[in-house]
Amino acid sequence: MYFEKNYKEATIMKILGINGWTVRGHDGGATLIEDGRLKFAIEEERLIGIRHAYDRIPYESIKMICQEENVCIDNIDKVAIGWNYPVLWKMFGKEFISKEEMSQKLFNTEHFANKIVYVDHHFAHACSAFYPSNFTDAIVLVIDGQGELIATSVFVGKRAENKLEKVYETQTSLGYFYAAVTEHIGFYSGQEGKTMGLASYGKPVYLDTLRKFISADNEGKIQCSFIIDKKSKDEEDETIAKWSEILSTILPKRTGKISEVSDEILPYANLASSAQKLLEEILVNIVSYYCTQYKISNVAIAGGVGLNCAANGVISELPCVTKVFTQPAANDGGISLGAALAVAKDCNENINFEMIPYQGNCFTDKQIEHFLKEKKVSYSKSGCICKEIAKLVSEGKIVANFQGRLEFGPRALGNRSILADPRKSDMLYRLNVLKGREVWRPLAPAVLFDKQKNFFSTSQFSPYMTINCEVLQEVQAKIEAVTHVDGTARIQSVSTEYNPLFYDIIKEFYNITGIPVMINTSFNIKGEPIVATPEEALKSAIAMKLDYLAIGNFIIKVHN
């Protein structure tokens, strides 16, 4: 088993980061850091086929790291857990299990108890943003639902001093505020992205009303009209219930799917717009104050709210901000990485790596072809997979692309993606229908970074789809399918350094069409995680009735 003794002497500092527990656990996974460098990172949901992997220990993630990287727990120096469970349990008068019991739970033996280190949740988030950013110094913003107690925090990072110091914290949760608005509109918890998309159809007519309940002053301190006392592991239900009570004074809570943005829905689009603008306003006040106070112009962001690309886009345009780095796994999927980096920092490791997001497992052409033959699938081997994909997409075909290592984080970034032509708006409708998405929701563009300035308002390298920007007015008609109703897009900058194969696919499309942009949306069936295996890829492509599946160097015609 993966925890058994390996007698090969370890000379490299190995740290295993873990997130995921049986109570209040979500978006679990595991990360391996060796000598300050990221070796492997995987999310449990991808391996078990259950989105967010709620209330689960990430056994499959741990097992995969041990198998793929040929390590066992006996060779691991530290096991970093991205929640300080003993402190959290103590806050509501309980005692957490011993490290021996935790070792038993994780590895089926008490033998590794002395390797276990608990890391404060927000500190893990902060480490996941600051160290991979490669900024010399940065203001680090952590915004999520809630850690052990705090929900919003600011850190100052100074790499030369190996320093990451917390300078602000509050229990007030911007994550729960936005989640409450999401539920009030009629979406489910975890569908905050829909609220952000709907906001573009509305106007912030309720902004002044919402400001009476939550705001931030000129010193970046968040003011909230209520406080929820600490009584249990988290205060999510109580906080959202209180916000629901407040929001009901503005609009009645609705239920049901929003198929189109009709006159009946417009008031809720206005509520979404108001909440979005207020979130941006609060974050602008926080960032502006701390950047000015510490004379630092780099901003690093983590926490689930960090996936709000519209807010990130606003922050990136502030006069006091030079660069913004948002951890691609800004949600709790990145906590295993952050926990491992926190321990690496305390061990004075030289943390030095580029946050290239393709950190999971991969399959060789030999493995893929063996699978296809076993399943008796008709396929052809491509002489140039990039040219073939580009040609198919230019002809209006929808191509699922399964290549290389699996992405880390919730966005598909070219390796587990569905690709399509962005030139006409009917492709937006067609793709949303095939994926079971509301037709009003936007799709994201992947753009050649060296051509980005010709199509989008930002020149910042944005490889993770974490920043919104404007589509230049003069090219909006050329890429209708990725231009949202408000003229913005959530871009992915594609470079040869980060993903040479995906770059070549888009470049070949550019050579054919003159457009250096492709639609890139996640390769998954509605309600399921992004595909992780050839079997899942084939099943999903068939179920969604996509035109083609490109898998390794093989092409499969899926749907006639």
Side-chain angles (χ1 to χ4, degrees), residues 286-335:
I286 294 171
V287 170
S288 297
Y289 175 75
Y290 285 99
C291 283
T292 303
Q293 182 77 5
Y294 289 92
K295 296 180 173 60
I296 294 173
S297 63
N298 297 317
V299 177
I301 301 172
V305 182
L307 294 173
N308 190 301
C309 54
N312 294 342
V314 171
I315 291 170
S316 72
E317 295 299 318
L318 289 174
C320 60
V321 173
T322 302
K323 290 183 178 179
V324 173
F325 172 89
T326 303
Q327 165 55 235
N331 63 347
D332 275 14
I335 280 295

Side-chain angles (χ1 to χ4, degrees), residues 262-273:
S262 61
D263 288 345
E264 180 188 348
I265 297 302
L266 274 178
Y268 294 91
N270 292 337
L271 177 61
S273 176

Side-chain angles (χ1 to χ4, degrees), residues 165-178:
E165 179 185 4
K166 185 163 59 183
V167 294
Y168 174 67
E169 64 176 54
T170 177
Q171 288 178 244
T172 301
S173 175
L174 297 174
Y176 291 162
F177 161 67
Y178 207 85

